[in-house]
Amino acid sequence: MDEATENCEKAFKEWREVSVSNRMRVMLKYQQLIRENTTEIQHLITEEQGKTLDDAKGDLFRGLEIVEHACSAPSLMMGETVGNVSTHMDTYSYRQPLGVCAGICPFNFPAMIPLWMFPMALVTGNSFLLKPSERDPSAAVQLAKLALDAGVPAGALNVIHGSRSAVNYICDAPAIKAISFVGGNQAGEYIHARGTGNGKRVQANLGAKNHAVIMEDASKDHAVNSIIGASMGAAGQRCMALSVAIFVGKSQEWINDVVEKAKTLMVGPGKQAGVDVGPMISPYAKKRALDLIQSAADQGATIALDGREYAAPAGYEKGNWLGPTVITNVTTDMRCYTEEIFGPVLCVMSAETLDDALKIINSNPYGNGTAIFTSSGAAARKFQHDVDVGQIGINVPVPVPLPMFSFTGSRASIRGDINFYGKQAIQFYTYWKTITSNWNPAFANTGASVNMPILGQDRK
């Protein structure tokens, strides 16, 4: 790890001097190489992480969009200037890279999350130390190799492997100036505290409990299909999964339709045609989900669809299988609601009014994402204005912003005050340098002054 960091330090000194236009050209070449190698990376993701091939392709494509946005660096990096702030004086600011930056990635998006991080860091002139998840690192390693093929100089991008010891190293190494992290709350809060305690910038995307509100004037088929896809896709192992559905008023009559739709999903190996839901990432993750499902039953909820009864596919009996599960009659004091399950499990709640639904959402500590399904502009406007969540979908189940915006989760879903990708990525990976210059042609006649300079006005 020391060697990797030293390589980053050495490479940074030269890479920062490469013009932003040429760094942009590296990203242009990089996005081309990712496209050419999509199938290979897609299969690496499915083999290690378990998600379906189509979902793996989406994982990579959403990361590719960040690389494409990095090609806008010359515009995004533009500074500020004011001429003649005082007679013969100008002030201008421009952005400078921080130095060695690092990323700590989760298992659930082996391609997208690394691509949230190092392309924007590199194009702004930094070097980068990447730690992919130890559970599925191959996609990240391949993406790093392609970056070198695209023209990132040797040493500017390094990959290290490990778990807690590697995380502690990144938090403590003096050469590392900034840390990007995506993962659970326990790890993220630890990394944020330890990293900032050592004087580093830290951005940390954490856990979530994302709610969907279904109004009785919504398109029934669209709402039901959206909820199933957003709750069960990737076996529910997404930080933007819709894990709670709140049915308002007469829409409560559609709860059984959700159960019936979930029954149609096919569970199996990600490479198998027709599969909708792949395995969970580990035996521990499966056991934790099973425990939370059982706790729901013990606390009085109804297991309307029990994925624990799912029979493993032939030849894959040792897999971490959990079928789609729908829990109804959920209340806010139940563990299945207060804890992030991170599995193919949907908690269903009921509310009489939109205000009641908003109260539920705003009382939950997380603020990653939410969605409303409605045909009423007034209801949608009220929801987006009153809900205390950072990312909102209106008839959109998974409102992850495109890269010209930023990923703006809020409250307990984030630590740090600068978000991932978009314009905020430029802010995170750079600092301002401000210069005030004086080119007075009559320097010799100005005399000495011990008074505080007043730049906004001329002295007489």
Side-chain angles (χ1 to χ4, degrees), residues 167-335:
V167 168
N168 286 339
Y169 175 84
I170 289 172
C171 291
D172 296 343
I176 295 173
K177 306 303 181 185
I179 304 171
S180 299
F181 168 82
V182 176
N185 278 64
Q186 183 177 1
E189 290 172 359
Y190 171 84
I191 290 166
H192 182 263
R194 187 159 178 162
T196 56
N198 285 321
K200 306 178 191 297
R201 287 188 185 181
V202 181
Q203 56 177 183
N205 274 10
L206 310 180
K209 202 71 176 181
N210 305 311
H211 301 68
V213 174
I214 303 90
M215 304 298 291
E216 55 190 33
D217 61 2
S219 167
K220 176 182 173 180
D221 288 344
H222 175 67
V224 170
N225 288 328
S226 295
I227 291 164
I228 291 301
S231 61
M232 306 299 173
Q237 298 171 122
R238 294 172 176 160
C239 64
M240 285 292 284
L242 279 180
S243 54
V244 181
I246 305 175
F247 288 84
V248 178
K250 294 181 180 179
S251 73
Q252 296 171 37
E253 298 171 1
W254 305 346
I255 293 174
N256 189 60
D257 294 276
V258 171
V259 174
E260 292 303 312
K261 177 62 72 171
K263 289 179 180 178
T264 67
L265 298 180
M266 180 178 175
V267 181
K271 287 188 175 182
Q272 184 174 314
V275 166
D276 302 297
V277 180
M280 298 190 69
I281 189 65
S282 68
Y284 171 78
K286 177 184 175 181
K287 181 181 183 303
R288 183 175 179 279
L290 295 176
D291 290 345
L292 287 168
I293 295 169
Q294 184 58 49
S295 75
D298 295 342
Q299 290 182 290
T302 301
I303 313 300
L305 178 61
D306 196 342
R308 297 174 296 178
E309 300 173 354
Y310 176 76
Y316 297 93
E317 289 79 10
K318 294 183 179 181
N320 304 311
W321 306 109
L322 176 60
T325 299
V326 180
I327 306 172
T328 59
N329 301 315
V330 173
T331 57
T332 57
D333 60 336
M334 295 179 179
R335 284 186 60 209

Side-chain angles (χ1 to χ4, degrees), residues 43-44 56 101 112 149 225 238 277 281 289 379 383 443 451:
H43 279 78
L44 287 173
C101 301
M112 183 182 76
D149 292 341
N225 288 328
R238 294 172 176 160
V277 180
I281 189 65
F383 184 77
F443 278 132
N451 299 322

